[in-house]
Amino acid sequence: MGWLWAIIVGFVLGLIAKAIIPGKQHSPLWLTTIFGILGAIVGNAIARAVGVDATPGIDWMRHLFQLVAAIIIVFLGDMLYMAVRGNKVKA
């Protein structure tokens, strides 16, 4: 069940990150989902390091860290994707 939740959370985080980043992102949906999963992992690690990974109720700070990490990873990952595949992809 953990992998299924990771995929769902990564998918949602990736889509939200794509919606927040201005302009068009060219990375495919499967790659955006992977970027979202990485954002969730990095966000959890940062929240754990700061000490807000387990709070009573909804962990808003942890989710905020996950979202910010996903935005950064989607942005940088899309730039890398376009650098590698940019000459082959028509916008």
Side-chain angles (χ1 to χ4, degrees):
M1 218 34 198
W3 285 105
L4 180 62
W5 275 114
I7 293 169
I8 291 170
V9 168
F11 178 73
V12 171
L13 279 174
L15 288 181
I16 292 172
K18 266 190 157 184
I20 290 174
I21 298 170
K24 180 171 174 38
Q25 290 78 44
H26 302 280
S27 55
L29 194 55
W30 64 269
L31 193 55
T32 303
T33 302
I34 292 173
F35 293 155
I37 292 170
L38 292 174
I41 292 169
V42 170
N44 280 339
I46 294 170
R48 191 174 304 113
V50 174
V52 293
D53 60 327
T55 58
I58 299 174
D59 295 330
W60 292 111
M61 288 305 295
R62 180 173 54 100
H63 297 315
L64 181 66
F65 283 126
Q66 290 175 339
L67 181 60
V68 170
I71 290 169
I72 294 168
I73 291 172
V74 167
F75 179 75
L76 295 176
D78 188 65
M79 286 176 38
L80 181 63
Y81 177 78
M82 286 306 295
V84 171
R85 303 268 316 195
N87 57 352
K88 300 174 190 169
V89 176
K90 303 252 190 255

